Amino acid sequence: MENNLILPALILVPFIAGFICWLVDKFDQHLPRWIALIGMLITLGLGIALWQSGTFVYEIGSKVPVWAAEFHLPWIQTLGISIHLAVDGLSLLMVLLTALLGVLAVGCSWGEIQKNVGFFHLNLLWSLGGVIGVFLAIDMFLFFFFWEMMLVPIYFLIALWGHKGSNGRSRVYAATKFFLYTQIAGLIMLIGILGLVVYGYMMTGMIGFDYNYLLAVANHLPAEVAYAFMLCFFIGFAVKLPVFPLHGWLPDAHAQAPTAGSVDLAGILIKTAAYGLLRFVIPFFPAASAQFADIAIILGLIGIFYGAFLAYQQTDMKRLLAYTSISHMGFILLAIYAGNILTFQGLMIMMLAHGLSSAALFIMSGQVYERLHTRDLRLMGGLRGQLQYLPFFLMFFVAALVGVPGLGNFIGEFLILMGSFKAYPTFTIMAAVSLVFAGLYGLILIHKALFGEPNPEQKQHYTSPLKDLSAREVSILMICVIGLVWLGIYPQTFLDVSHSSMQWIVNSYMPVQEVVETVQQAATQLEHVEMQ
């Protein structure tokens, strides 16, 4: 296949635009905003062009994924490292989500960021470029390079432009905590990657980091070694997802991050972990993953209820939304380890819908803060009577987040629950019960913010009425509304694109999963016979 130049362009455009933003900052404060917006619009346009030109097909019996487009350039040849980028339906939808939320992140920071505007957009666009690199790289060295690289700009976003948390913790504390958690997890994943490379060298006498090569190596590992390497990869991705009990960095990072940083974290960054589990953990270690499935799903279920319970306790709007992300990511684990085409397709819709709904709610949190100068729900109330547009959008996105039918999140959750019921009926029923709790924390958020009497501390707003949403702010939110309605009414558009990728992952996982389940059932029956 010919090298497709769109793939490196998708990564380079945000990097180049971010660098130009930094250079022109000294001439004009507004110029970096426009350059960043144009850069992300070009990236989104390139992604749409790739969608239009790509063919997403599944080849029966294929041992490796079928890529819609590839780019290959030799790099460090003595170590078998190359710049190898490729895209299929799964990675393309994630790239499009990243580019779209990148446009929204630039838009929502237009009035919020007033100092070091150029350096801010350098960090924002470089983090987005790093995320796109994660979704496109299929050389494991290059993948790990982007995986670690995207953390540095996000550290600066939180540390330099963040808020002081409601619990008094500083933005530097939150940024450092985020960096340490993700850096240590990345090093654990690096052990797994290097372990695969070393085993490959022992088997073939060749050093290589390419996806297809390591896939073949991983499928010939001894069971104990495969399980150990699988755990290294799982921990690396689980911290970023985040999975209970590795979630400690998320609430502080969200609470202190600027609005664009929260959009980046909630909408895109945690999706890289779900992508990593689908792209690497399941295909590389299908037997070990099937063996580990019960533990992973139990961790996911704990996260669903733990996140929902802690969301109730929050008085800070951003921290409440952060804990809802932990709760929703439990569904992602259930979907991945139930491992059939329905749950994988539901996972795809849920990632897109959660990206849009959570990003929109964090944008709205920033908009409320701009007007009230607080995110404390105890100091809000009565906003519905003072504003025309903001209450409608807040109620709409909370409805989307809790899974109201007709919107994207409902489709994702429905497919995941329907697909996982056959394999894990008890776990699925428990996950379904948690949706009631999601409705409750959604209602609490709406009630405290919009209804009731305005708090006495907000009396100054009676004489100087609050400013409603501007045309720019309404436009940003309408993009998310259209996306969520599209996902809820006609998800087939996206299911068609991702089907071939998901079918290949299912075929690499399902037969092994069934064998492991049969062995486990036989062992249980044997124990029962021995007891009798």
Side-chain angles (χ1 to χ4, degrees), residues 43-60:
T43 308
L44 182 60
L46 289 171
I48 293 168
L50 203 55
W51 187 351
Q52 296 296 322
S53 64
T55 51
F56 305 96
V57 294
Y58 169 66
E59 289 181 9
I60 296 169

Side-chain angles (χ1 to χ4, degrees), residues 64-289:
V64 294
V66 179
W67 307 112
E70 274 187 84
F71 177 84
H72 195 275
L73 192 68
W75 187 15
I76 309 170
Q77 290 175 301
T78 45
L79 295 177
I81 297 168
S82 60
I83 298 171
H84 194 181
L85 308 172
V87 71
D88 61 0
L90 166 63
S91 47
L92 177 63
L93 289 176
M94 291 290 96
V95 167
L96 286 170
L97 177 68
T98 306
L100 178 61
L101 292 187
V103 172
L104 301 184
V106 172
C108 74
S109 60
W110 207 271
E112 182 183 355
I113 304 300
Q114 298 298 333
K115 62 170 187 175
N116 298 327
V117 178
F119 191 52
F120 171 84
H121 285 95
L122 168 88
N123 285 294
L124 179 62
L125 266 66
W126 279 34
S127 69
L128 294 166
V131 169
I132 292 172
V134 164
F135 291 137
L136 294 182
I138 56 165
D139 179 280
M140 288 302 290
F141 181 88
L142 190 64
F143 169 83
F144 187 76
F145 169 79
F146 284 123
W147 182 262
E148 292 296 297
M149 192 227 77
M150 68 184 177
L151 305 179
V152 179
I154 293 172
Y155 172 86
F156 285 122
L157 284 177
I158 299 170
L160 299 179
W161 291 275
H163 309 284
K164 186 178 179 181
S166 56
N167 56 5
R169 285 175 178 166
S170 71
R171 57 199 181 196
V172 176
Y173 167 85
T176 307
K177 192 174 178 183
F178 159 76
F179 192 79
L180 287 175
Y181 263 84
T182 47
Q183 191 70 23
I184 291 166
L187 291 174
I188 293 170
M189 184 168 71
L190 181 62
I191 293 169
I193 295 171
L194 293 178
L196 272 179
V197 172
V198 170
Y199 251 89
Y201 180 73
M202 288 162 61
M203 287 178 188
T204 64
M206 186 177 87
I207 299 175
F209 283 83
D210 195 70
Y211 183 86
N212 294 348
Y213 168 70
L214 291 181
L215 182 64
V217 169
N219 286 324
H220 289 89
L221 291 176
E224 298 80 7
V225 176
Y227 196 84
F229 288 168
M230 182 277 296
L231 281 178
C232 290
F233 275 80
F234 178 81
I235 291 167
F237 295 127
V239 168
K240 194 74 69 71
L241 193 56
V243 174
F244 174 89
L246 306 171
H247 65 283
W249 62 271
L250 185 73
D252 284 327
H254 269 314
Q256 271 80 275
T259 304
S262 291
V263 170
D264 203 349
L265 283 168
I268 307 162
L269 200 76
I270 57 183
K271 308 301 181 293
T272 60
Y275 170 83
L277 289 169
L278 279 173
R279 175 69 77 217
F280 302 108
V281 175
I282 299 294
F284 278 19
F285 315 106
S289 297

Side-chain angles (χ1 to χ4, degrees), residues 41 48 58 71 107 171 206 230 256 362 371 400 436 439 454 473 476 482 487:
L41 285 170
I48 293 168
Y58 169 66
F71 177 84
R171 57 199 181 196
M206 186 177 87
M230 182 277 296
Q256 271 80 275
F362 278 110
R371 285 153 179 81
V436 177
E473 291 169 322
I476 290 168
I482 292 164
L487 283 162

